[in-house]
Amino acid sequence: METNSDNSEENVLKELASKKVAKLKSFYKHTFLYAAAMILYVLKEYTELPLNFFPIQILNGVVVIIWSAVYVGSAIDMFVAFKILGKEWEERKLRSLLEKKNRTQKWE
């Protein structure tokens, strides 16, 4: 019986870890794309290079401001929220998820 609960805990931990890794991977992709776009925006605005073709043409100040706000929000969600909520919150949340999962599977 104890091995079953250990196994379910392992499964939940693996699931949470895979979600964290997927979120981190998505954030790194967003960082790379954001950096490339900012480099192109700076080159377009402050140099004499002819960068007036379609994808770069729509990079203007409003788009850059909105994208920067979204990027900062994403970074806050990724890194600062963990520091604010802390390890204890994560452990409490994990315990509540495990208890919820055990309650819903009692009939088996």
Side-chain angles (χ1 to χ4, degrees), residues 33-61:
L33 187 62
Y34 177 75
M38 290 302 108
I39 289 169
L40 288 173
Y41 175 73
V42 167
L43 288 175
K44 176 185 162 209
E45 293 295 318
Y46 300 108
T47 64
E48 300 291 325
L49 296 175
L51 297 171
N52 290 326
F53 49 92
F54 171 66
I56 299 172
Q57 184 179 1
I58 61 172
L59 275 177
N60 58 22

Side-chain angles (χ1 to χ4, degrees), residues 11-107:
N11 289 339
V12 170
L13 287 173
K14 285 180 184 178
E15 183 179 322
L16 287 174
S18 67
K19 284 181 182 179
K20 278 187 176 183
V21 168
K23 191 174 179 183
L24 190 60
K25 183 179 177 183
S26 173
F27 178 75
Y28 286 148
K29 286 179 183 178
H30 187 198
T31 299
F32 177 74
L33 187 62
Y34 177 75
M38 290 302 108
I39 289 169
L40 288 173
Y41 175 73
V42 167
L43 288 175
K44 176 185 162 209
E45 293 295 318
Y46 300 108
T47 64
E48 300 291 325
L49 296 175
L51 297 171
N52 290 326
F53 49 92
F54 171 66
I56 299 172
Q57 184 179 1
I58 61 172
L59 275 177
N60 58 22
V62 174
V63 171
V64 168
I65 289 171
I66 292 171
W67 197 353
S68 296
V70 169
Y71 180 74
V72 168
S74 178
I76 287 171
D77 180 44
M78 192 70 208
F79 298 111
V80 177
F82 177 73
K83 296 204 185 259
I84 290 172
L85 298 174
K87 185 93 171 143
E88 295 83 23
W89 176 85
E90 188 175 349
E91 289 173 0
R92 283 194 314 264
K93 187 68 175 173
L94 179 61
R95 272 190 249 118
S96 81
L97 287 172
L98 287 172
E99 288 172 5
K100 184 178 179 182
K101 188 174 182 177
N102 288 338
R103 269 188 268 136
T104 58
Q105 292 181 355
K106 274 190 174 179
W107 60 272

